[in-house]
Structure formats: C-alpha cells, structure tokens
Amino acid sequence: YDIGSINASADGVYIHTVLRLAKDEAGRLKISNMTCNASIARMHAGFSGTLRKVYEFLSTFIVTGMRYLLGQQICPSLEHASLVLLNSLLDTVPVRNYVDEHIGIDYSLLRDPSISTDTLDLDFKGMFFPRVREDQELENHAVEPVIKETERMVYVAFSEYFFDSAMHSYFQAGVLTIELQGEKVPKDLEVLLRATFFGTIFMLSPSVDAPLRLVLQVSAPPRCIIKPSGTSVSVSAFLNISLVPPDRPPVQLSSMAMETKLSAKVFLQGKALRVQLDLRRYGESPMGAWGESSPHPTHNCFLLSRFRIYSKQSALESLALFSLQAPLKTLLQLTIMPIINERTKKGVQIPLPEGMDFTREVVTNHAGFLTVGADLHFSKGLREVIEKYRPVPTAATYSSSRPAEPSLDPSSL
C-alpha cells in the first residue's frame, strides 16, 4: 500500500478527423459519419511516494501502458462529441416552423452540403406555406442566387421566390383584406368621398348620414421585384366603397381597381429578417411629389413608387375617380401601411443554432436576389448549449419534423 501521485505529459499527439455532413430525413444538417486516427509519440511521467524508485524502474512499462490506453480513448471521445453532442446542437436549428397563425416556413435542406477548402455551402428551400394547406408548394421561377462576397463570416441569400411564397401564402390564407368603417375612415377623406358620390348618396335618402365603409382586398398574390437599386412589391387590389345604413343592407357606391408598387426596406434585427413597406420612397414627406427622385436615396429601398386607381365599370367613371388618387394614396400611406407593417414587424427567423447571434449585419441587393452578410457571435458557450440539449441516454434521439407552434416571446426571434 502506497500513497503518491503521477505527473504525466504527452508529446507528439496527432489527431486526424474527417466529418461527413449530410441532410437527414427532416432536411436538417447532420454529422452522418466520422473517421478518426490518433497517436501519441512520447509520454513522460514523474512519480512520488515511498516506492518512487521502484516506479521509476518500472516507468517504461507503466508509461507504455498509459500511452496505449490514452490513445484508445481519443477517437471514441471525439466520435461521441461529434455524432451525439454536436448533432444535439444542430437539432436547435429551425427547419419547419410556424411564423404566425396563418403561415409557416420550410427551411429544410434541398441536398447534402457542398464543402470546399474555404466554404461550406448549404441550399435551403426557404419557402413559406399556408397553415391551412401545409403540403402546398409554389413553383420556383426565380434566379439562382450566387454569393461572391467574402467580407463576413456567413452570407444568406434570399431570392424573389422567398418573398413571393410568403405573400402567396398570406393570399391563400385569405388575410390580405383590410376594412375601415365609421370613425376609422379619415375625416378629410370621408368628406371628399361624400362630395364625389354626392348624387348617388342623395338618391339614397334618408341614408345620407350613413357611415362609410372601405374594404381593401388584394386581388392576386403580390409579387416581389429585387434589383440592385432596391426592392419593391407590386400589388393589385380592389377597393369597395359602401354606405352602411343602420339595420339595412350595405349600399355600394363604387368598386375600383388599384395598382401600386410599394418600396420595401429589408433588414436584419437579431435573428429575424424583417421587411418594412412604404408607398412613398424613404425620406419623402407624406405630401411629397409623386415620382420624384431623391437626392439622398436610402440604401436598399426602391426610390420610385407607383399608384393608380380606375373603375371596374367604365372609363368615364375612371376619369371621375382621378381626383381621388392623391387622397387615397395618402390614406394607404398613413392608415393602411402602419397596419400592414404592424402585422409583419415580428419578421421571420433565419436558421441558426442556439447560442449564435449575428453581428455587423449588411444587406446587399442584386439582380433577382439579396444577400444578408454578418459575422457570428457566440452569446452562449458551446458547452452550455450542448449540456442543455444533451440527449437522455434512455430516450430516443430522433428529431421531429413537425412545425413548432409560434412563440409569444419576442426574444425567440
């Protein structure tokens, strides 16, 4: 029986590992296989205790055994860290989530990763879907994004298809309708509308003082256009103007078609990609001239907006409605745009493992797509995240592809 210590050190430790990355059945990035080769060239050991001289005499056999046992533990430990622990971290990357109560998004990988000496390329589907029809897919006619920038650690490219599928999904969900009635209709616009349709309203007496109702309904899925100069969204809609007499059916005064091109500002906030829409160019006052060019253009916005209304009944009525064009454009800008931007301000999360955040974000427009570049910041330690999601040994480690319910916590973005 003896008490002492062994102070050991190793020289010439060689470890060579190869990780094989692939997509699993749910479309999530996984480490599918690993090869490992490890060796230790030399080990040294210092002994203490009453039998120290005996240990030193036997050190050749003891150190050789220690070197062998230690070498046998390196690869199994790395294999467990890769195939189990790191894969549990990759499980935190969102693949198919619900954005809100109307739509969800599919971020699943389309194919296995492409790896070069300098880059890791991942092709995501990046498609929204209506929750009422989760199996619906929109055909992709957008250009294939090509990322050439290298100044940031990571770049994510979004084609026009990404935004088109979002607007198409909202259209399929039937939520692209806004109704204003009574006090919600701006007073100046109400006076102008009553003057414009005075003859019709007068013939409806005694319903002259009935409240007005404006129903704006998108008639086709909006389309996104991305150019190097900025991003815009083309929208076609119907505007129905009616009187709503108490205890009587609504009386329609006019039904007009509207065509508008909204400027869109795309930016990254946290992990959420957000879009802010505007009927005028950024920096223009609400009553600014229509179609002027700005001496100080804002980055990533379309400088010109377009707005046109016309009657669905006749060209003569379209001419009569010309005087409503400027007030209705102001109505959209001051009343409708805040409602739309309020609905979309939460944005959509970019797939990124837990504990990683973006810094030094930059958005760059190209022909048919835009790129979001950023550096990565570890807001949590890798060990902390791995310990949080460490699989329970007795539990199945298979991940579900079912979408998660939308979180009410804004910090989850």
Side-chain angles (χ1 to χ4, degrees):
Y1 181 81
D2 195 11
I3 297 177
S5 63
I6 302 176
N7 186 11
S9 62
D11 294 334
V13 179
Y14 172 82
I15 303 174
H16 181 262
T17 61
V18 178
L19 300 179
R20 183 177 297 277
L21 300 178
K23 72 179 186 71
D24 63 8
E25 294 181 357
R28 181 178 279 109
L29 178 66
K30 286 291 185 179
I31 301 174
S32 62
N33 194 14
M34 172 186 172
T35 60
C36 175
N37 202 357
S39 63
I40 302 175
R42 295 173 301 278
M43 284 198 70
H44 308 279
F47 301 91
S48 65
T50 56
L51 300 176
R52 178 172 59 86
K53 294 295 184 180
V54 177
Y55 304 145
E56 290 175 350
F57 177 76
L58 300 175
S59 63
T60 301
F61 302 99
I62 296 175
V63 171
T64 301
M66 290 174 57
R67 186 180 66 176
Y68 174 78
L69 292 175
L70 183 60
Q72 292 298 306
Q73 294 297 317
I74 294 176
C75 285
S77 298
L78 290 176
E79 184 174 347
H80 176 75
S82 300
L83 299 182
V84 178
L85 300 182
L86 284 180
N87 275 337
S88 69
L89 175 66
L90 293 175
D91 280 338
T92 66
V93 178
V95 172
R96 190 175 174 89
N97 281 354
Y98 291 144
V99 176
D100 53 30
E101 63 271 23
H102 304 296
I103 69 171
I105 186 169
D106 190 337
Y107 269 132
S108 59
L109 286 172
L110 296 174
R111 56 188 65 88
D112 289 343
S114 175
I115 303 173
S116 68
T117 55
D118 299 320
T119 62
L120 169 65
D121 293 330
L122 305 173
D123 291 333
F124 296 98
K125 180 179 288 186
M127 184 200 73
F128 292 85
F129 56 86
R131 292 183 60 170
V132 293
R133 295 180 58 187
E134 293 192 8
D135 58 343
Q136 176 177 293
E137 290 196 10
L138 181 65
E139 191 173 354
N140 187 358
H141 297 288
V143 299
E144 186 78 15
V146 178
I147 300 177
K148 297 181 179 180
E149 297 95 332
T150 58
E151 290 80 10
R152 297 292 192 270
M153 294 174 62
V154 61
Y155 284 91
V156 186
F158 299 93
S159 70
E160 294 172 345
Y161 174 78
F162 177 84
F163 301 98
D164 285 347
S165 66
M167 294 180 288
H168 187 274
S169 297
Y170 275 123
F171 181 79
Q172 291 290 320
V175 296
L176 298 185
T177 302
I178 296 178
E179 180 177 318
L180 301 177
Q181 181 174 323
E183 296 181 354
K184 293 185 178 180
V185 180
K187 196 64 179 178
D188 293 344
L189 180 62
E190 180 182 2
V191 172
L192 181 61
L193 291 175
R194 289 185 180 277
T196 302
F197 299 106
F198 175 77
T200 304
I201 296 175
F202 185 77
M203 295 298 293
L204 297 174
S205 182
S207 303
V208 176
D209 295 328
L212 285 174
R213 181 173 66 186
L214 279 64
V215 179
L216 180 64
Q217 182 175 8
V218 175
S219 57
R223 295 296 304 275
C224 176
I225 302 171
I226 302 177
K227 296 182 179 180
S229 58
T231 304
S232 64
V233 178
S234 296
V235 183
S236 298
F238 295 138
L239 178 63
N240 295 320
I241 304 174
S242 306
L243 284 174
V244 190
D247 303 323
R248 292 181 57 184
V251 179
Q252 182 169 294
L253 298 178
S254 179
S255 179
M256 62 186 73
M258 302 176 57
E259 294 179 356
T260 182
K261 179 177 288 186
L262 307 174
S263 59
K265 182 180 180 182
V266 182
F267 58 99
L268 192 65
Q269 187 171 38
K271 294 182 183 179
L273 187 72
R274 294 182 54 186
V275 179
Q276 186 173 358
L277 299 175
D278 207 312
L279 187 56
R280 65 179 188 269
R281 65 178 182 273
Y282 289 96
E284 179 187 64
S285 64
M287 300 304 294
W290 176 32
E292 292 179 356
S293 60
S294 171
H296 303 288
T298 302
H299 179 66
N300 195 38
C301 73
F302 199 75
L303 296 183
L304 298 181
S305 62
R306 185 185 67 209
F307 179 79
R308 185 168 71 97
I309 61 173
Y310 56 92
S311 172
K312 296 193 295 182
Q313 279 77 29
S314 66
L316 183 61
E317 187 176 2
S318 296
L319 185 62
L321 294 175
F322 184 77
S323 61
L324 294 177
Q325 184 158 286
L328 286 177
K329 181 182 177 182
T330 302
L331 167 71
L332 289 177
Q333 178 59 41
L334 299 182
T335 304
I336 305 300
M337 288 296 102
I339 296 176
I340 296 176
N341 288 325
E342 178 66 24
R343 292 181 179 179
T344 61
K345 73 176 184 178
K346 188 173 74 170
V348 60
Q349 184 178 6
I350 294 180
L352 201 64
E354 183 176 340
M356 292 186 188
D357 294 323
F358 292 118
T359 61
R360 299 178 64 226
E361 306 91 340
V362 58
V363 178
T364 306
N365 277 48
H366 304 274
F369 68 97
L370 58 85
T371 58
V372 177
D375 288 338
L376 293 177
H377 169 70
F378 285 84
S379 57
K380 295 182 180 179
L382 187 61
R383 182 184 297 275
E384 178 185 352
V385 179
I386 288 178
E387 289 296 331
K388 178 180 178 181
Y389 292 98
R390 182 186 291 272
V392 179
T394 58
T397 59
Y398 299 105
S399 58
S400 173
S401 61
R402 177 177 176 82
E405 289 292 337
S407 172
L408 299 179
D409 183 9
S411 63
S412 64
L413 293 177

